[in-house]
Amino acid sequence: MKNVVSLVLASILVAAPAHAQTVNDDVRCLVVTSAVGEQAENEPTRKVANLTAAFYMGRLDGRVPATVAAALKSQPAVAGTAALGIFKACAARAQGAQARLRAASR
Protein backbone atom coordinates (compact mmCIF):
# COMPACT_ATOMS: atom_id res chain seq x y z
CA MET A 1 0.00 0.00 0.00
CA LYS A 2 2.90 2.33 0.81
CA ASN A 3 4.23 1.91 -2.75
CA VAL A 4 0.84 2.73 -4.25
CA VAL A 5 0.56 5.90 -2.18
CA SER A 6 4.12 6.85 -3.16
CA LEU A 7 3.34 6.36 -6.84
CA VAL A 8 0.17 8.44 -6.61
CA LEU A 9 2.00 11.25 -4.84
CA ALA A 10 4.84 11.04 -7.33
CA SER A 11 2.45 11.28 -10.26
CA ILE A 12 0.98 14.43 -8.75
CA LEU A 13 4.44 15.92 -8.42
CA VAL A 14 5.32 15.00 -12.00
CA ALA A 15 2.05 16.45 -13.32
CA ALA A 16 3.17 19.88 -12.12
CA PRO A 17 6.02 20.84 -14.46
CA ALA A 18 9.23 22.27 -13.06
CA HIS A 19 8.73 25.24 -15.37
CA ALA A 20 5.66 26.60 -17.06
CA GLN A 21 4.93 24.58 -20.18
CA THR A 22 1.98 25.60 -22.28
CA VAL A 23 -0.32 23.46 -24.40
CA ASN A 24 1.51 24.89 -27.40
CA ASP A 25 4.85 23.69 -25.95
CA ASP A 26 3.44 20.20 -25.37
CA VAL A 27 1.96 20.06 -28.87
CA ARG A 28 5.25 21.21 -30.41
CA CYS A 29 7.04 18.44 -28.52
CA LEU A 30 4.48 15.86 -29.63
CA VAL A 31 4.65 16.90 -33.29
CA VAL A 32 8.43 17.09 -33.47
CA THR A 33 9.14 13.90 -31.53
CA SER A 34 6.55 11.99 -33.57
CA ALA A 35 8.19 13.17 -36.80
CA VAL A 36 11.66 12.25 -35.51
CA GLY A 37 10.38 8.82 -34.53
CA GLU A 38 8.96 8.22 -37.99
CA GLN A 39 12.14 9.37 -39.74
CA ALA A 40 14.72 7.86 -37.37
CA GLU A 41 17.16 5.54 -39.07
CA ASN A 42 18.36 3.85 -35.88
CA GLU A 43 16.45 2.02 -33.17
CA PRO A 44 17.73 3.97 -30.12
CA THR A 45 16.59 7.30 -31.60
CA ARG A 46 13.26 5.81 -32.64
CA LYS A 47 12.74 4.41 -29.14
CA VAL A 48 13.50 7.73 -27.41
CA ALA A 49 11.29 9.60 -29.87
CA ASN A 50 8.37 7.20 -29.41
CA LEU A 51 8.61 7.22 -25.61
CA THR A 52 8.85 11.00 -25.60
CA ALA A 53 5.87 11.33 -27.93
CA ALA A 54 3.86 9.04 -25.62
CA PHE A 55 4.80 11.24 -22.65
CA TYR A 56 3.51 14.38 -24.39
CA MET A 57 0.40 12.58 -25.65
CA GLY A 58 -0.34 11.77 -22.03
CA ARG A 59 0.18 15.37 -20.97
CA LEU A 60 -2.16 16.57 -23.71
CA ASP A 61 -4.82 13.99 -22.88
CA GLY A 62 -5.86 16.00 -19.83
CA ARG A 63 -6.05 19.31 -21.67
CA VAL A 64 -9.11 20.97 -23.22
CA PRO A 65 -9.55 19.33 -26.65
CA ALA A 66 -10.35 22.59 -28.45
CA THR A 67 -7.16 24.16 -27.05
CA VAL A 68 -5.09 21.18 -28.22
CA ALA A 69 -6.71 21.29 -31.67
CA ALA A 70 -5.98 25.00 -32.01
CA ALA A 71 -2.36 24.45 -30.97
CA LEU A 72 -2.00 21.64 -33.51
CA LYS A 73 -3.31 23.86 -36.30
CA SER A 74 -1.00 26.73 -35.39
CA GLN A 75 2.26 24.76 -35.33
CA PRO A 76 4.85 26.14 -37.74
CA ALA A 77 6.91 23.79 -39.88
CA VAL A 78 10.17 22.87 -38.19
CA ALA A 79 13.07 21.03 -39.80
CA GLY A 80 16.78 20.42 -39.61
CA THR A 81 18.79 21.65 -36.66
CA ALA A 82 15.79 23.48 -35.21
CA ALA A 83 13.82 20.22 -35.06
CA LEU A 84 16.79 18.41 -33.53
CA GLY A 85 17.10 21.08 -30.83
CA ILE A 86 13.40 20.85 -30.01
CA PHE A 87 13.60 17.05 -29.96
CA LYS A 88 16.52 17.07 -27.53
CA ALA A 89 14.86 19.59 -25.20
CA CYS A 90 11.55 17.70 -25.20
CA ALA A 91 13.26 14.35 -24.61
CA ALA A 92 15.24 15.86 -21.73
CA ARG A 93 12.03 17.15 -20.10
CA ALA A 94 10.36 13.75 -20.47
CA GLN A 95 13.41 11.96 -19.07
CA GLY A 96 13.55 14.43 -16.18
CA ALA A 97 9.93 13.70 -15.32
CA GLN A 98 10.66 9.97 -15.40
CA ALA A 99 13.66 10.45 -13.09
CA ARG A 100 11.58 12.49 -10.63
CA LEU A 101 8.89 9.81 -10.63
CA ARG A 102 11.42 7.06 -9.97
CA ALA A 103 13.10 9.06 -7.19
CA ALA A 104 9.79 9.87 -5.53
CA SER A 105 8.66 6.25 -5.60
CA ARG A 106 11.68 4.97 -3.65
Side-chain angles (χ1 to χ4, degrees):
M1 183 66 173
K2 180 181 174 188
N3 288 340
V4 172
V5 171
S6 294
L7 286 174
V8 170
L9 291 174
S11 68
I12 292 168
L13 292 173
V14 171
H19 66 285
Q21 192 162 349
T22 66
V23 171
N24 200 48
D25 294 333
D26 287 348
V27 166
R28 183 177 309 110
C29 284
L30 175 62
V31 169
V32 170
T33 58
S34 294
V36 169
E38 289 175 5
Q39 297 172 6
E41 296 180 3
N42 62 60
E43 189 57 32
T45 301
R46 186 173 321 150
K47 184 177 179 180
V48 169
N50 290 337
L51 290 171
T52 302
F55 170 78
Y56 285 99
M57 181 71 76
R59 285 180 55 91
L60 290 167
D61 186 51
R63 305 287 184 122
V64 177
T67 305
V68 174
L72 278 166
K73 290 177 185 175
S74 70
Q75 288 302 304
V78 180
T81 57
L84 184 58
I86 293 169
F87 170 69
K88 287 180 179 180
C90 294
R93 272 192 296 248
Q95 290 168 349
Q98 179 185 24
R100 288 189 301 277
L101 179 61
R102 281 187 179 170
S105 67
R106 291 182 187 176

